[in-house]
Structure formats: C-alpha cells, structure tokens
Amino acid sequence: MDPETVNKIAAGEVVERPSSVVKELVENSIDAGARRIVIDIEDGGKKMIKVADDGCGMSPEDAQLALKPHATSKISSVEDLWNVQTMGFRGEALPSIAAISKFRLLTSDGTQGTEIRLSAGKDLIVQPSGAPRGTTVWVQDMFYNVPARYKFLKSSSRETQAISDVVARLAAAHPHIYFHLRSGGRTILEAGGTGDLRHVMAQVFGNEFAADAIDLYFSLETVTVSGLLAAPPHGRPSRSGQFFSVNRRPVRSLLLTWVTDDATRGRYMPGKHPVLIVNVSCSEGIDVNVHPTKAEVRFAREDIVRRALFHAYEAAFLPRADYPVPAQAKETDLDEWPQADDTIAQLVMEHPATGQRAFPELRFLAQTHGSYLLAEACDGIYIIDQHAAHERVFYEEVESTTYPSQLLAVPVTVSLDANSAAAFDEHRHTLEELGFDAEPFGPRSVIVRAVPGELAVSFTERVFTDLLEHLVHADSGSGLSALNEARKALAACHASVRASRGLSDMECVALIERLRGCREPFFCPHGRPTFLKISLHRLRKDFLRT
Amino acid sequence: MNIQVAQSSLLWGLNIVSRVVPSSSPMPILTGVLIETWKGAARLTATDLESAVQCTIPARIMQEGAAVLPLKLFAELVRRLPPQDITLSLRENEMVAITWEKAQYNLNGFKPDEFPKMMMVERERGVEVPADTLIEMIKSTVYAAASSEDRNISLTGVLVQVKQGKLTMATCDGIRIACISRDTDYGGQSYEFIVPAKVMQEVARLSSGVDDTPVKIFFTENQVLFDINSVLLASRLIDAKFPDYQQIIPNRYYTSMALDSNEFFSACERAALVPREGANYIRLQFSASGVVITSAASSVGTVYEEVPGVLTGEPLDISFNPRFLLDGLKVVLGKPLVFDGTGPSSIACISSPEFRDFFYLVLPLRR
C-alpha cells in the first residue's frame, strides 16, 4: 500500500468525526503542559477546527517529526505501555488528521517558531515563522478528500454537541487548565483554570448541580478515587452527566458505570442518574491501549478499583461515617454482589413474551420500593416495572392521538445548556408537533407558551430540559423519525414525573389495566421489559416442593 | 403543671389544633401538642414550623406549668373518655398523668422548653373581614392554586392584596387564574402577601361556625396571623414573586354568552365523563342559538349536547381541559353565568353579574 492509503486507513481509526480531532489536538496540548487551551470551531468543526495552547511548543525538528506516523516522544519501549502518564503516545494522531484535511500548524518552543502546512497529507510546506510559545493547529475542510466519510458526519449542531461533550469531559479531568470553546465566535463552554472541581461542575452542568455536590475521595492500595458528586435529587435522565477519567484521561468504563449504578441505586429518583466527575488515579496496572481513541480502559486489578470507587460513594452518602473505611470492613458485602454472569440467569425468570402472548389476568397486590408493582395471576407472580409500564401506556397514547396543546397563562422560561440548546434548534419542529409552543428567549433560554395537554399540571422547567436531554441522546441511527424519538422521550419524561409522585393503590390498578389495553404491553418503547414473571412452577421448584 | 379540664372542651381544643400536626416528623416534638397554663386557662399549641395553631380552653389551675403530649395518641384517648372533668398533672421525666374517676393513664411527653415557640406576629397592620365573606373568598380561589412547588413556588399560595377599602385574593397555577375582591373598612397603606393555600384552607375550616364574628388578619413582612374568634392561626408567608396577573386580564372580549349556570355546568360535567382517557378535552361551539358541547373518545363514544344562551359578539369554537372549565363554573353555580372569550386559542373568562368582583380566567387547549 502506498503511504497515502496507509494514512487514510489509520485516520479512519483515530479520526471519525470532528470531535475526535478536537480530542486528539486538545490532548496534545495537555501533554505539552498548556495552562490555557482555546478551541474555535465552525460549522460543527466540519469547516474549521482551531486549537491554540500555551504549552511547551516544538522545535522545528520535532515539529516535522510529529507529522511522521508513529513518531512519538512520549514512549519508547513496550514496557512503557503499562505506565503511560501522558495522554497520547501512539504517534498516530497528527499524521492521520493531516491526511484528511487542510492542515496548518504553528508552533514555537520559545526560541524558534515554525509553520507547517499540508493538504491531504501532501504538499508539505515548512517555514520559519514568528509565534509566541505554544502550538496552534488549524484543521480545515475535514474529509474533503474522503467524500465517503464526509457523508457520515452528522448535522453541525450534533457535531458541535459532540465536541462540547469532549471538551467538557477533558475540562472535568483537568480543572487546573482553562478551556474555552467557541463555535462561530460564540462561546459554548468556558471552564476550569482555577483547579476547583466544583467550579468546573458549575460551568459544565449548572450551579444547581454544583452547589450542594459532595466530595468523593477514597484511597486503596495503588488506587485513589477523587471527585465530586451532585447530591440527590439533582440527577439527569441519562448517564450523560457521568464524567469518569482514569489518570486524568476521560474514559468510558462499564466497570465504573456499573459500580456507580449499584452504589447510588435508590438514592436518586427513579429514572434519574447521578451527575458526577470522578478521577481514578492508578499508579500501575492500567492498559489504555485497548482502542486507538483510548476511550476505553482496562484495569489489571479490577477488584481494587471497584472497591475504592464503591467506598468513595459510600463515604459520600454517609458523611459522618469514619472514612477511609478499612479495606477489610466491607469485604463480605462486596462478596455478596451478584456476578455479572449470573444476574441475568437468576433474575430474568421467564419472560412473558417468550411464553404466551396474551396479557394475563392480574390481581394487584402491592407496590414495592416506590417503583415496582406486585401482582398475582393463576400461573404465578408478576413484577411490573411501574416506570416502564407508564412509558408504554403514555407512548401509545401520544402515538395514537393528536394531543391538544394546553396554552399557559403564565409562560415558563427554561434555561438550556449548550447541548440542549442545540437539540432545541434541531428538534423545534418536532416539539411543536408534540404540542409544545416554545421559542428562543435570549441566548440559551426558551419561553414555553403551551405544553401537551397531558402535561398541563405536571409541566416544569425540568420536564423540558429532560425531554431535550433525551432527544440529544436519541438514537438517530435507528431509522425512526425524529417525531417517534420525541414521543418516546416525552413518554419517558411523563413516566418519571409520575414515578416521582408515587401511586395510590387505585392508580396502580388503573395502570395495570391501561397496560393491558396496550398494543405491545410487554416492552417499554425503549425495548425494556415491562414485567417479569415468577411462575408457580418455579416457586414450587425453588421451595423444593417438586 | 396540674390542671382540671372538661373532656368536651379538651376534645374541642385538640380538634382545632390537630390539623397542622404531622403524623410523623424528623423532629418528634412536632407531633406533640403544647399544653400550658395561661391567664387562668389552658392554652393548646401545635405547629409544623411553617404554621401554628393555638386555642384556649377553660381550666381550673391547681399548679402553673406546661407539658407536651403526643397529639394523635392523646386526642384518641380524650375522644374515648367519659364526658366529665379530667386532671392532667406533670410528673417527673415529662410524664403526664391523666386521671378521672378511678383511672390513671401515664403518657410520656416531650420537654416543653424544647417546643418551638409560636411565631410572634406583631398586631400592627391588620384588616378585619366577616367570617362568611372570608370563607366565600377562599372557596372562590383556593382550588386554582398549584399543588406542586415544582414550577413556581409562588403559585402554591393565595395572593392577598390589601388596599384602601378593598381586599383581593388571587390564585394561579399557570393555566388559570381565580380572583375575587370584597369591600373592607381598611384605611391603611396597600400591602400584598402570599399565604400557602393549605393554610388558607385551614382558615376557611376554622372560620366556619364562628357566626358573624369578624376574622382579624394581621401581617408582617414574612408572617401572617389569623385571629378567628380567639383561635389563632399563624403562618409563614411564601417569599416569592407572584406573577403579574393583572397583565393577563384581556382588555376586551369578542364573544360573550349569558347562560344558565346549572344547565351549562351539568352538561359540561356529563360531557367530561366520556373523554377520560387519551386526549382529554371538551369542545364548546358558541353561536347565536347557544352553545354546543361535544366530546369524543374513540374507545368510549361521543357526546353532543346543546345549551341555550344569548350571544353577544362573534361565534367561538374553543376547547378546554374539562377539569379547568368545571372548577371555575362551580364557583358561580346557581347564579347567572357569563362566558367571555377572546378567540379559539386565547384566554376565556367565567363570571357572574350576581357574584360581583369575581372572575375566573382560563386558557383553552389548542387542537
């Protein structure tokens, strides 16, 4: 293969969309010891991305070397791989980016300035240039030479959203660095620089989350967990507000998510996930080289990480407990955790959908944990997920009826963060179809003059921001119309409003009856089961009666 | 403390103060009632920290003092006592001995000095209103207050405006506004404050059956005190800004219809039975001959009903959430009714020429 093809293939792994370019460039800036990083984008980064930092810069020789594949000054041997302290090390990023854009780099190590220009990885121009210490990179017309990939880029507002998410996660991992993200000259996010994590949380999520956030800290062997957790009831309908980093590198980790869900279960309203910024620092035993974008991470000692994070949450929720808790103190609890493999086998007893399709005759027995309904039928016990049931019932309602829209005597003003503002722009028409009448009201806020009739009484600012939040994360690739996604989202919001209010017995009976009337009563619109069944047969067997 | 009281007056007093008492509380003493000797009588106080109720009952004082007993249990006991004098005396460790005839119950109490002080509301600024007028005003408005604090806390209260010669109450839950004014002989400066709707309901309850004794309302920056025939109800005010509802009142109406309120209300109530599920609305079509009420639910059936009325202005086709419509109609039930509209997707008004200075504004549904 010729070098051009090799570079394009490599680019495919590292550079998927503008946000990955921003991630690579900003990580370089962080590795260069920058204190201020200013990111400018245009048209969701598709037209232009500029990242300027005040880091150590490069000498003319290093600058040229940086554009050669697998040239990195960050590691030199395989042993270093398990001990990587810098953000990047693969030496792939710059050449990959340069291969698919019009690329310009201006850098100075304080003594000598260098400017490098490349188009699609070719036509290299290197010239001395006057510049302050630091590095500035321009990436223009991304994928202009790879039309096939250009086609897969999403709308500008979506790409902006993705970039804003990337920068927010990096800012949360590096509170001592000042980040400034602008789109078309308009500030999208400004965060950090003070080293105060609470400050960053306020800038990223809003003051209400940061005001009474709880400090997280726990140290166990080589692992230290630290961060900030927004106290209940402040949560989000998705896990989008959970920023994890490992050794200050933003990551997504099933392990960390799982421990978080487990440790915070029952502390937040049903349908709400905690908002948090957590850094796990681990002096050894981490493999970040799982994926070229390094978004996933593997721990050599998962149990220690799990335990440290769990104790950090526990200490946070019990501020008076003497912590750090000795590592041994809770050992038994942890051993009793269901292992991931057997949970599904044990808890999902017998799915109704796999047996007969007719909705059973149910007699309501009780509500438990404010979120499940217990009912009996002639063939066993049924456990209904109240939230999922509500979602299904309400979803079929909004789907089948055109909702009249209730006009408000006192309009509600809703302030939005960057992501929801983008989602509002994108889905405004859909929201109207659902029965909302909302229009922009100053920068980053909208005024709601009418709401779907069903929400007349329960509508709050929160319902609207939650709805937009759902839309931001709606799976646009599923082929469903935006309207359908919005209906699902609305149903979810409605259900969580209901859940937070609690149900009387009569309402529980009514809910079961309404679920019976549904076209597809067995699943919520997002595909989760609405109920589980423990058959009489199974009960007899487990009580050793057969 | 050692006092003797009649069972009947003690039961009356406990009933009066019981409403504000939470059945359980992180502060257990709040589930108690404070009993203290005061000017030759016994005074009962209960509070949930937001509001407090106090009343005085006749008593024979053998020894001055105070005690706090768990209210629910104590009231249950007193309700079952024979109608005669009973003695309450404080023993050691906050225990109170309740004795009559040959029986003695000892109940564990709380420390009286830990009981929250009744809010001290200065009786400087105040207005007097006849009890029946006050009840009428509260009942005409309180139902339209918001039940949840989520949207705007000011909407969970009743706005009270005191002006020269006039007292106004208004509520608004974001979708409708109920407002009523009555004349008073108040001559001071203008004030306005927001009283929690729950407290207003309690005021209406305590005011019923006090005949024509005027209720005295005293208010400060952050508290209000209702003196209802010597029963005192004090409450914190809601510290928030009430929406400027005056601004929402339309300058003119394009449609106006005079109707029989009983006939119209019953028809709307019947029509509202059908669309319970799904799209919950009833449609009103006002024309020269009267109003046609329709509603439908595909799974239930359809409704068509005509109510005669006299139209002034333009015909109107408008839809409402039946609940919001019925709430306003209930207030003017039995009186001639006027329905005013400004258009199919804008505010409408319910009022009655025989129920002056009341109006109910409600926003329609837009289909």
Side-chain angles (χ1 to χ4, degrees):
Chain A
M1 287 193 288
D2 59 83
E4 195 189 332
T5 319
V6 171
N7 268 343
K8 273 193 188 173
I9 292 173
E13 276 187 45
V14 181
V15 186
E16 292 171 305
R17 49 195 293 203
S19 59
S20 32
V21 171
V22 171
K23 175 173 174 294
E24 295 295 337
L25 295 179
V26 172
E27 284 182 351
N28 281 344
S29 297
I30 294 170
D31 285 344
R35 313 303 296 178
R36 280 177 66 88
I37 303 174
V38 180
I39 305 121
D40 280 281
I41 55 170
E42 269 170 43
D43 207 3
K46 291 188 273 189
K47 190 148 175 271
M48 195 275 290
I49 296 169
K50 175 186 165 195
V51 175
D53 69 54
D54 61 351
C56 60
M58 286 178 277
S59 67
E61 300 75 36
D62 281 353
Q64 287 186 58
L65 201 58
L67 285 156
K68 296 224 165 71
H70 302 290
T72 180
S73 52
K74 297 171 182 173
I75 59 168
S76 52
S77 69
V78 180
E79 286 72 46
D80 288 349
L81 264 185
W82 281 86
N83 198 16
V84 173
Q85 301 295 328
T86 50
M87 306 279 291
F89 55 82
R90 290 164 74 113
E92 284 178 331
L94 284 186
S96 304
I97 295 167
I100 47 90
S101 65
K102 295 174 185 155
F103 183 89
R104 179 174 162 223
L105 179 142
L106 185 63
T107 186
S108 164
D109 58 3
T111 53
Q112 247 180 313
T114 315
E115 184 179 350
I116 297 182
R117 286 167 184 271
L118 275 166
S119 287
K122 291 178 290 194
D123 311 325
L124 178 74
I125 302 168
V126 183
Q127 58 190 50
S129 175
R133 189 167 169 270
T135 305
T136 305
V137 176
W138 287 261
V139 176
Q140 274 170 311
D141 300 326
M142 201 176 155
F143 291 133
Y144 79 103
N145 58 332
V146 199
R149 290 198 77 92
Y150 186 84
K151 273 201 304 206
F152 280 97
L153 295 183
K154 305 216 167 83
S155 68
S156 296
S157 59
R158 281 224 169 211
E159 295 296 350
T160 305
Q161 217 169 280
I163 292 171
S164 153
D165 187 59
V166 161
V167 176
R169 281 172 190 272
L170 285 162
H174 299 273
H176 54 282
I177 302 178
Y178 167 83
F179 290 85
H180 191 177
L181 170 65
R182 289 180 297 215
S183 167
R186 196 168 58 108
T187 295
I188 301 281
L189 179 72
E190 203 175 354
T194 60
D196 181 356
L197 199 56
R198 201 171 287 271
H199 197 54
V200 177
M201 185 177 257
Q203 287 162 318
V204 173
F205 297 110
N207 280 326
E208 73 271 28
F209 289 97
D212 50 0
I214 316 166
D215 285 308
L216 293 172
Y217 181 82
F218 198 86
S219 186
L220 184 64
E221 296 183 27
T222 53
V223 174
T224 303
V225 170
S226 62
L228 208 51
L229 169 73
H234 297 298
R236 281 196 169 186
S238 70
R239 294 190 185 81
S240 64
Q242 304 188 349
F243 286 10
F244 293 107
S245 57
V246 172
N247 290 347
R248 310 239 158 257
R249 176 199 311 284
V251 294
R252 291 172 206 275
S253 153
L254 277 179
L255 174 76
L256 301 181
T257 311
W258 188 55
V259 175
T260 303
D261 283 358
D262 229 20
T264 60
R265 183 164 301 142
R267 300 195 186 268
Y268 292 81
M269 262 162 48
K272 290 277 183 193
H273 296 277
V275 165
L276 48 87
I277 298 176
V278 165
N279 180 59
V280 178
S281 66
C282 212
S283 56
E284 56 187 42
I286 303 181
D287 184 3
V288 288
N289 197 22
V290 183
H291 188 266
T293 63
K294 305 178 210 82
E296 284 169 35
V297 66
R298 204 169 279 163
F299 300 99
R301 295 287 312 273
E302 284 202 352
D303 55 328
I304 297 192
V305 174
R306 187 172 78 179
R307 220 176 282 167
L309 184 59
F310 188 79
H311 286 319
Y313 288 129
E314 223 171 39
F317 286 123
L318 296 169
R320 253 157 286 160
D322 288 336
Y323 72 93
V325 184
Q328 263 63 31
K330 284 285 177 175
E331 200 85 38
T332 45
D333 279 11
L334 290 166
D335 290 342
E336 281 167 19
W337 281 15
Q339 295 302 302
D341 295 337
D342 54 41
T343 39
I344 289 170
Q346 282 187 3
L347 299 183
V348 184
M349 304 274 175
E350 199 175 290
H351 197 275
T354 61
Q356 63 201 98
R357 291 286 295 181
F359 195 85
E361 283 298 325
L362 295 179
R363 192 171 72 86
F364 169 70
L365 299 174
Q367 187 188 29
T368 78
H369 304 85
S371 33
Y372 301 102
L373 309 183
L374 280 185
E376 69 171 354
C378 55
D379 60 343
I381 297 171
Y382 289 76
I383 305 163
I384 298 154
D385 181 340
Q386 182 187 318
H387 186 87
H390 261 307
E391 262 187 68
R392 166 51 64 184
V393 167
F394 191 65
Y395 174 68
E396 292 202 1
E397 262 182 37
V398 278
E399 202 187 28
S400 61
T401 28
T402 337
Y403 260 84
S405 147
Q406 173 68 56
L407 293 149
L408 300 179
V410 184
V412 179
T413 314
V414 183
S415 50
L416 305 175
D417 63 16
N419 282 353
S420 343
F424 175 72
D425 285 343
E426 191 174 346
H427 297 288
R428 197 168 153 187
H429 182 69
T430 314
L431 290 169
E432 271 167 31
E433 278 186 65
L434 282 179
F436 285 99
D437 176 358
E439 54 187 273
F441 189 67
R444 291 254 202 120
S445 74
V446 294
I447 185 160
V448 182
R449 299 183 193 281
V451 300
E454 183 75 17
L455 291 177
V457 179
S458 53
F459 182 78
T460 62
E461 196 177 322
R462 234 316 113 71
V463 169
F464 198 72
T465 49
D466 280 2
L467 177 61
L468 289 174
E469 172 90 3
H470 278 290
L471 286 175
V472 169
H473 298 281
D475 180 11
S476 62
S478 65
L480 288 169
S481 71
L483 182 62
N484 249 329
E485 285 299 330
R487 280 179 178 146
K488 277 192 202 172
L490 188 62
C493 289
H494 185 75
S496 68
V497 167
R498 282 293 175 82
S500 65
R501 243 189 291 149
L503 292 181
S504 69
D505 282 4
M506 264 173 66
E507 286 174 304
C508 292
V509 173
L511 175 61
I512 295 176
E513 278 316 299
R514 290 177 76 182
L515 185 62
R516 176 199 304 286
C518 282
R519 198 179 65 247
E520 176 51 276
F522 302 105
F523 299 97
C524 88
H526 297 94
R528 291 185 290 265
T530 50
F531 57 81
L532 301 176
K533 170 185 168 187
I534 306 170
S535 68
L536 266 184
H537 172 74
R538 164 120 210 165
L539 284 174
R540 286 198 200 100
K541 206 176 102 196
D542 285 1
F543 284 115
L544 307 177
R545 284 180 172 277
T546 45
Chain B
M1 184 192 75
N2 190 355
I3 58 173
Q4 199 174 48
V5 287
Q7 183 263 355
S8 57
S9 29
L10 185 56
L11 185 59
W12 172 85
L14 292 174
N15 277 341
I16 293 279
V17 301
S18 67
R19 280 292 188 96
V20 294
V21 173
S23 55
S24 70
S25 165
M27 244 177 101
I29 198 166
L30 293 185
T31 63
V33 52
L34 173 70
I35 306 160
E36 53 192 337
T37 56
W38 185 73
K39 292 187 182 170
R43 195 163 72 170
L44 309 181
T45 310
T47 178
D48 63 358
L49 294 182
E50 285 301 307
S51 57
V53 188
Q54 193 171 70
C55 65
T56 311
I57 55 173
R60 204 159 72 86
I61 315 284
M62 274 89 79
Q63 195 193 341
E64 303 274 341
V68 180
L69 281 172
L71 192 147
K72 289 270 142 64
L73 172 63
F74 185 45
E76 287 300 317
L77 176 63
V78 171
R79 185 165 301 132
R80 287 165 175 79
L81 291 185
Q84 54 181 258
D85 283 356
I86 55 177
T87 309
L88 307 176
S89 56
L90 184 66
R91 303 288 159 88
E92 63 271 14
N93 294 331
E94 324 312 333
M95 184 179 281
V96 176
I98 304 153
T99 48
W100 71 98
E101 285 174 2
K102 289 175 181 169
Q104 172 165 339
Y105 279 61
N106 293 324
L107 291 187
N108 292 325
F110 301 96
K111 286 196 175 68
D113 51 341
E114 284 176 8
F115 195 83
K117 293 279 168 294
M118 170 88 172
M119 293 165 215
M120 300 300 289
V121 181
E122 297 217 7
R123 295 177 173 233
E124 204 172 276
R125 301 201 292 254
V127 57
E128 280 191 17
V129 196
D132 51 353
T133 307
L134 186 64
I135 295 171
E136 179 184 71
M137 293 182 78
I138 295 172
K139 292 202 164 155
S140 305
T141 50
V142 74
Y143 58 88
S147 53
S148 142
E149 296 180 359
D150 295 347
R151 203 180 302 186
N152 177 345
I153 186 148
S154 73
L155 302 182
T156 61
V158 177
L159 176 72
V160 180
Q161 293 174 306
V162 192
K163 284 186 193 144
Q164 279 214 340
K166 204 163 196 185
L167 178 68
T168 303
M169 289 188 191
T171 50
C172 169
D173 65 0
I175 293 157
R176 65 263 176 79
I177 295 159
C179 180
I180 187 165
S181 298
R182 288 294 177 255
D183 296 338
T184 64
D185 47 14
Y186 178 78
Q189 262 183 287
S190 299
Y191 289 101
E192 62 174 57
F193 48 89
I194 308 170
V195 184
K198 201 178 74 187
V199 170
M200 276 306 204
Q201 271 158 345
E202 195 55 24
V203 171
R205 185 179 83 99
L206 294 173
S207 304
S208 61
V210 300
D211 303 326
D212 44 4
T213 323
V215 174
K216 301 187 195 82
I217 308 171
F218 300 97
F219 44 90
T220 67
E221 281 302 300
N222 47 24
Q223 293 175 349
V224 64
L225 174 73
F226 296 88
D227 182 342
I228 307 159
N229 202 7
S230 297
V231 172
L232 302 183
L233 170 57
S235 168
R236 281 183 214 282
L237 297 173
I238 294 176
D239 183 16
K241 197 175 151 17
F242 201 83
D244 183 6
Y245 71 93
Q246 298 284 352
Q247 198 196 314
I248 301 165
I249 303 172
N251 294 325
R252 60 163 299 190
Y253 294 100
Y254 300 98
T255 305
S256 184
M257 182 170 279
L259 291 149
D260 180 303
S261 60
N262 289 328
E263 226 179 315
F264 186 53
F265 177 81
S266 320
C268 290
E269 208 180 24
R270 278 190 296 272
L273 292 174
V274 169
R276 275 281 162 76
E277 311 253 307
N280 193 12
Y281 66 89
I282 59 174
R283 183 176 177 188
L284 308 178
Q285 287 159 286
F286 295 88
S287 64
S289 58
V291 58
V292 171
I293 303 162
T294 50
S295 75
S298 54
S299 57
V300 187
T302 61
V303 171
Y304 177 95
E305 193 160 348
E306 283 179 32
V307 176
V310 182
L311 179 77
T312 323
E314 297 161 20
L316 176 66
D317 181 351
I318 192 167
S319 298
F320 289 99
N321 178 325
R323 200 189 109 198
F324 297 143
L325 187 66
L326 291 170
D327 275 352
L329 291 177
K330 250 180 229 164
V331 178
V332 292
L333 208 53
K335 304 181 181 76
L337 162 75
V338 177
F339 181 97
D340 293 305
T342 56
S345 334
S346 54
I347 204 154
C349 179
I350 289 164
S351 60
S352 168
E354 281 185 18
F355 194 58
R356 62 195 170 81
D357 296 326
F358 166 80
F359 61 84
Y360 179 79
L361 295 171
V362 57
L363 267 291
L365 291 162
R366 195 172 50 189
R367 279 176 295 123

